Amino acid sequence: MINIAILGFGTIGSGVAEVIERNSSEIKNVLGDYLHVKYILDIRDIPGAVNDINIIVNDPDIKIICETMGGKEPAYTYTHLALERGISVCSSNKELVDAYGVELSIIAREHNCSYLFEASVGGGIPIIRPLRESCGHEKITKIAGILNGTCNYILTNMRAGKTFDEALKEAQDNGFAERNPAADIEGHDTARKIAILASLVSGQKFSYEQVNCTGITEVTLQDIIDAENENSTIKLLGVYDSEGPYLTVAPYIIPQTCPLYSVNSVFNGIMIHGTIVDDLMFYGRGAGKLPTASAVVSDVIECAKTLGQNINNNFADLKPAEVKPTEPPESKFRYLE
């Protein structure tokens, strides 16, 4: 039995525990052993939970930690401490990966453990591991993705005739948008995710501050109608282009011929172009309790198979990137080329 701990028992953290319980036999078939959640850490008063990270990192039985707290602190401090003790960390925290992914990856390598973050981009979509492993030999020249389920849900409902404010309220009522949705609708969430993907495939460290970022707050119902009249629609995309390199988050006009046209509601879609493999498309639930938790557990299994070793996550050797400014669009929206 392999003992793990979960830091943060909110939506994703509780989902990790549920996946481990519900799929215990499947996990045993893949791993050859069972996973057991020995500790839960949370700032709330949850029965059986602890609130002292030292209890976890000082327990020699704990080999892997799931960091599902979100935000930079105390997630950074706890992750740093765990990796220094040789405990692998599997994270869903895109903000932490964007800000400290290189540093934490170096610490993991130095202490023969791993720092993995499949769940930080694309929810339940396997995207980071395929890019790291299956496409590791490829030169990826372009990534274009619908990476935020909240924005996609809003824009999908606007296609059904709702105004932006009406669609946002519905997203909040259904739990798809936060009470303060700024990080989503202003594009910052997507910017962090495209920066992580660009870093993964380029050998350079991009940060979300380098992304030319425009959200969807200025998209109107009339804009949607006009796009539909041209057999197109509007989607918020995160785009990486190696030729600059350029990093952009903005509303794009998407024609019906593009696979991203049909990615609706809270689903995500990510298009990859490689010089050898040509075009690839990844599609699935980009958020949600169980899909995202499934991605965390996939990292846990990979770490459990390689205890005492470091998995190269492509981040430890990244050098700071220089990004060229993206040319402003000639009209209100950009067009996907």
Side-chain angles (χ1 to χ4, degrees):
M1 183 175 294
I2 298 173
N3 289 291
I4 72 168
I6 299 173
L7 310 185
F9 207 62
T11 300
I12 308 305
S14 60
V16 169
E18 184 175 342
V19 170
I20 290 173
E21 180 179 0
R22 285 175 54 176
N23 284 19
S24 60
S25 61
E26 288 81 4
I27 292 170
K28 172 69 160 51
N29 289 338
V30 172
L31 181 58
D33 206 346
Y34 290 103
L35 295 176
H36 174 247
V37 180
K38 186 172 182 179
Y39 295 108
I40 293 167
L41 182 146
D42 201 278
I43 60 173
R44 297 167 298 169
D45 186 18
I46 296 175
V50 302
N51 55 21
D52 184 355
I53 186 63
N54 291 296
I55 294 173
I56 296 172
V57 298
N58 288 331
D59 186 337
D61 286 344
I62 296 299
K63 307 300 183 184
I64 304 166
I65 285 175
C66 302
E67 185 275 298
T68 56
M69 306 181 77
K72 293 179 182 177
E73 285 292 356
Y76 168 76
T77 299
Y78 291 174
T79 300
H80 192 290
L81 183 60
L83 294 172
E84 283 189 325
R85 303 292 179 90
I87 301 170
S88 292
V89 177
C90 305
S91 179
S92 62
N93 190 341
K94 56 191 169 291
E95 187 174 357
L96 190 67
V97 175
D98 173 68
Y100 298 109
V102 172
E103 176 188 346
L104 295 172
S105 298
I106 292 172
I107 295 170
R109 184 169 63 184
E110 290 173 346
H111 292 85
N112 297 316
C113 57
S114 299
Y115 181 57
L116 301 183
F117 38 85
E118 179 65 63
S120 67
V121 179
I125 302 173
I127 181 64
I128 289 179
R129 189 172 292 107
L131 287 178
R132 173 164 55 85
E133 295 184 356
S134 302
C135 297
H137 63 288
E138 283 280 342
K139 178 176 174 57
I140 304 298
T141 60
K142 193 163 187 177
I143 301 173
I146 297 169
L147 299 171
N148 184 274
T150 298
C151 289
N152 207 41
Y153 182 87
I154 291 170
L155 293 172
T156 299
N157 278 3
M158 290 178 73
R159 291 178 68 184
K162 293 182 173 63
T163 66
F164 176 85
D165 289 339
E166 290 170 342
L168 172 58
K169 184 178 185 305
E170 182 173 321
Q172 290 171 319
D173 291 343
N174 289 327
F176 298 136
E178 302 289 342
R179 186 171 299 176
N180 179 359
D184 293 320
I185 64 176
E186 292 176 4
H188 302 304
D189 176 82
T190 298
R192 287 188 170 93
K193 293 172 180 176
I194 194 62
I196 291 170
L197 294 181
S199 299
L200 189 72
V201 302
S202 68
Q204 304 177 78
K205 176 61 180 77
F206 296 94
S207 66
Y208 96 99
E209 291 94 343
Q210 294 176 295
V211 180
N212 185 336
C213 186
T214 304
I216 63 169
T217 56
E218 300 302 316
V219 178
T220 67
L221 179 56
Q222 188 60 51
D223 292 329
I224 299 291
I225 294 170
D226 291 343
E228 293 289 329
N229 289 336
E230 297 178 3
N231 296 318
S232 301
T233 192
I234 298 172
K235 301 286 188 182
L236 183 75
L237 298 186
V239 176
Y240 160 70
D241 188 334
S242 66
E243 286 193 6
Y246 302 105
L247 278 177
T248 307
V249 170
Y252 277 74
I253 299 291
I254 308 294
Q256 282 185 351
T257 53
C258 176
L260 295 176
Y261 177 90
S262 300
V263 178
N264 293 316
S265 189
V266 295
F267 283 80
N268 282 190
I270 307 166
M271 294 176 60
I272 309 293
H273 182 80
T275 54
I276 303 299
V277 74
D278 202 38
D279 293 325
L280 298 173
M281 173 75 176
F282 297 82
Y283 170 82
R285 290 194 177 274
K289 177 179 179 176
L290 294 180
T292 307
S294 176
V296 176
V297 173
S298 75
D299 278 348
V300 172
I301 292 171
E302 187 174 9
C303 288
K305 289 180 176 179
T306 56
L307 291 176
Q309 304 173 46
N310 173 253
I311 299 168
N312 180 12
N313 64 6
N314 285 14
F315 260 54
D317 296 314
L318 295 182
K319 305 302 181 185
E322 293 184 7
V323 178
K324 290 187 178 180
T326 306
E327 292 294 326
E330 296 181 358
S331 59
K332 183 176 180 179
F333 299 105
R334 298 182 182 276
Y335 288 80
L336 187 62
E337 297 179 358

